[in-house]
Structure formats: structure tokens, C-alpha cells
Amino acid sequence: MQIIKGKKELAGAIAGLRAAGRLALVPTMGALHDGHLALVREARRRADSVLASIFVNPLQFNDAGDLDRYPRDEAGDAAKLEAAGCEAVWLPTPGDLYPPGFATSVHVAGITERWEGAHRPGHFDGVATVVTKLFTNVRPDIALFGEKDWQQLALIRRMTRDLDLGVEIVGLPTVRDADGLALSSRNALLSPAERAVAPTLNRTLDAMRTAIREGQSVAAAEQAARDALAAAGFGPIDYVAHVDADSLEPLAQAGDNSRIIAAATLGKVRLIDNRAG
Ligand code: PAF
């Protein structure tokens, strides 16, 4: 597997990868788990060569402590990517993507205003800006993202269409541990006691879905979910919501295209999850 560091090196490597046919990009922030590797394996099926990027994007962290705590494991990540069948990994530096004088920010209106957008000011502009930069540097035919960050996936789809970026966006279902906890690089930061409680988030969203489908009002189901999370020790609970899967607007009634999304903190670790409504 090629390990690509600079931007010049990237251009040369991409020319070689492109010669093989369709090129897939799997953007990541490292600390890779089976969810990321599932994206690489699916990329392998859909393209002729696969390039992953690892970049802990400072622009999408609204909390400096969160950026400092973000787990990093470059050598371990490279070994996992190679085993999963990646041809190349790109490790840009902040200076590669945001050189001195960099003054542009990509903002996707609407979809980004609520939920994660409201609780993490600037986060989605950071995501949209870095994904645009990754796309314009790599020019992939296809890019793969996990559904765990549902709102992020919706904004990337919108942005790719709006800006005619010409990249096919593929979202893959969340990969979970056997007890239902969605895999996340942040899970490594949970204490053993918090790790034991964390699957309550998934179970609570499942129960909320069942309650709404069985006729409970959305408002009552949302409140019951918040109460269940608080009783399990989560707090603060940023949001638990039943929304339209594409626009992320709140949905007061059960619907065919609905999604249940939530974000809540356990100890010092903020967890997010979602499921079909
Ligand atoms: O989901 C992530 O890991 C990041 O938000 C992404 C898409 C790689 C952009 O930094």
C-alpha cells in the first residue's frame, strides 16, 4: 500500500490509480474500526482502486479539548487499511489542505442548522470544507461514508449535488458491536463502566421507533427516550428527535421516510446514533 504524504506526491499517485479505472475515496479521521473497514471493503467491490484519507480536521472541532483527545494511531491504521485492500492512504497535513491565507468555507444551508449543527457551531462548515477539499484533490468517482453520522451524510449528498462535484456518494449502514453500540473512534475513550451503559442509546432509539409505530405520539416517545437516557446516566442529552431522513426537519407524525437521531454525553464522551423511524 502506498503511503502518500505531500500534495505533489498525491497528484502522481492518483494518476497511477486512475489508470486502473474507477477510483474510490474513503475519507476518515483515523483511529479506524470495523465500520471504516466495511467502507473500504465495499469500496473494493465498487471500484478498481481504493484510496483512504486520514486527516483529523481541525476545522470541524468546535472544542479544542475534543480535538486534543481525539484518538490517533497512524501505524495501526495503515496496517488495517492495507489488510482491508486499500491501494493507497493519503495523510495530508493541515498545511496541505489549509495553506497560509486559506479563506474559504463551505456552508450548506438548511440541513445543517439543527441538531449537530446547533450543538457544535461551525462543525458542519468544517466537514463541508474538508470534504470539498478531499474531493477536489483526489477527484474520486465514488466516495463512501457511514450512516452513523446521518446528518453529515445528508449534507455531503446535498453539497455534492449543489456544487456538481461529480462524485457518487454511497452511505453504508452503521456497524455495531454485539451489544448494539454503534462503532465509533470515541468509544475507546469510555471507561469500562460507561462502556457497559453505552448500548442503552441504541436500545432507547429502538424502543422509541416501536412506540411511534405502535401509535404513541412523537412528542411522548421523544420524552420517554430522554427520560430513559437520563435514568441510565447520560447527560447532557443534546437531542432525541424524529425527523425527515433527507431534510432533517422534525416530523410530528410517523412517516415512511423518517429517521430517529440522538446525541447524548456519557461521562466525557459525546455519543451519537440514529436508526430508521
Ligand atoms: O466522518 C468523519 O470521519 C469525518 O467527519 C470526515 C467525513 C472524514 C471529514 O473529516
Side-chain angles (χ1 to χ4, degrees), residues 27-29 36 55 57 60 127 130-131 134 145 149 152 156:
T28 80
M29 297 207 300
H36 297 109
F55 179 61
N57 174 31
Q60 70 187 77
V127 170
V130 79
V131 172
L134 294 171
F145 299 86
D149 295 87
Q152 166 176 284
I156 290 169

